[in-house]
Amino acid sequence: DTGVSQNPRHKITKRGQNVTFRCDPISEHNRLYWYRQTLGQGPEFLTYFQNEAQLEKSRLLSDRFSAERPKGSFSTLEIQRTEQGDSAMYLCASSLTRNEQFFGPGTRLTVL
Amino acid sequence: AQSVAQPEDQVNVAEGNPLTVKCTYSVSGNPYLFWYVQYPNRGLQFLLKYITGDNLVKGSYGFEAEFNKSQTSFHLKKPSALVSDSALYFCAVRDWTGNQFYFGTGTSLTVIP
């Protein structure tokens, strides 16, 4: 069991730049979630994929954020024109059922 | 709308004593409740869930949780705390589709030797 992997683990960028993160879920998991976590807070739901279809997207999510899961396997999360407020840990989770999720280690984004 | 609240940012307990980490929920419809633990520099790990059935749910590492519908609570418990239980604990609830999960703000548990 290789678990959920995320790359890169850390990303430092300058304000205004675009960044892209990758998540590789557990191979047989058809459900994939993205979350954002800031210091002192719990994970905040961003978006959900079932296979390649993006079925849910947080209403709070800026249109600078976009996510894809082109073949129902790995997923990417892109942030365009980054802002300092985007600095956070970005978490990916996958699951086979509607219940237990398996989380990756996260990508820590710092926007200077 | 679904939400959970964790009223305590920090809980300290002596090793060997019972521990409780509190969670209350607000849902429309049936509650689907979860506990996760986050160790430093590691991803969140699933501990247990309540979907239906017995109000006392048993999970990983000796943890259990008590679902109380009248008090809308889902407190995490362990009869005897270990130093290795020191971590950040999150309560969560999902919507009925399983497409969205909502997490609490977390409770930092410190078990004192």
Side-chain angles (χ1 to χ4, degrees):
Chain A
D1 181 8
T2 56
V4 178
S5 61
Q6 293 187 245
N7 288 288
R9 294 292 305 276
H10 303 272
K11 179 70 177 179
I12 299 174
T13 191
K14 293 182 178 179
R15 188 177 54 188
Q17 298 294 305
N18 299 345
V19 295
T20 300
F21 310 140
R22 176 176 170 129
C23 170
D24 287 88
I26 294 171
S27 59
E28 65 269 24
H29 286 184
N30 59 341
R31 292 171 170 263
L32 188 145
Y33 304 81
W34 283 99
Y35 295 88
R36 175 171 58 194
Q37 186 177 19
T38 54
L39 200 62
Q41 298 296 316
E44 175 194 7
F45 171 80
L46 294 179
T47 191
Y48 162 70
F49 289 86
Q50 184 161 334
N51 299 310
E52 67 276 8
Q54 187 175 19
L55 297 185
E56 293 285 353
K57 188 174 176 181
S58 171
R59 286 170 290 177
L60 302 176
L61 197 60
S62 162
D63 57 9
R64 296 184 296 105
F65 287 68
S66 62
E68 293 183 339
R69 194 182 183 196
K71 296 184 179 179
S73 57
F74 73 92
S75 176
T76 57
L77 178 68
E78 180 182 17
I79 309 174
Q80 296 182 327
R81 305 181 302 281
T82 53
E83 302 172 356
Q84 288 186 325
D86 297 332
S87 295
M89 179 74 84
Y90 290 84
L91 302 173
C92 175
S94 71
S95 68
L96 198 54
T97 71
R98 292 185 291 181
N99 296 318
E100 181 178 353
Q101 294 182 67
F102 294 81
F103 281 82
T107 294
R108 183 170 296 283
L109 173 66
T110 301
V111 182
L112 302 176
Chain B
Q2 325 285 354
S3 66
V4 291
Q6 295 181 242
E8 300 161 319
D9 291 335
Q10 173 81 38
V11 170
N12 297 326
V13 63
E15 185 177 22
N17 282 3
L19 70 86
T20 298
V21 182
K22 296 180 180 178
C23 174
T24 58
Y25 66 89
S26 174
V27 301
S28 52
N30 294 326
Y32 304 99
L33 299 161
F34 305 83
W35 276 102
Y36 282 81
V37 59
Q38 187 173 35
Y39 297 101
N41 300 315
R42 294 177 65 179
L44 279 82
Q45 296 177 35
F46 171 83
L47 280 180
L48 51 78
K49 66 179 183 287
Y50 173 84
I51 304 300
T52 186
D54 291 340
N55 290 342
L56 187 64
V57 178
K58 294 189 181 298
S60 306
Y61 313 120
F63 283 93
E64 57 191 26
E66 186 172 10
F67 171 72
N68 188 315
K69 187 173 182 179
S70 63
Q71 297 185 8
T72 62
S73 66
F74 188 57
H75 300 332
L76 182 70
K77 300 182 178 185
K78 189 173 184 182
S80 178
L82 301 173
V83 173
S84 57
D85 293 330
S86 298
L88 197 53
Y89 290 81
F90 291 96
C91 182
V93 63
R94 71 160 171 85
D95 67 359
W96 71 273
T97 65
N99 294 355
Q100 293 196 47
F101 285 71
Y102 305 90
F103 284 78
T105 52
T107 298
S108 179
L109 172 69
T110 300
V111 180
I112 303 165

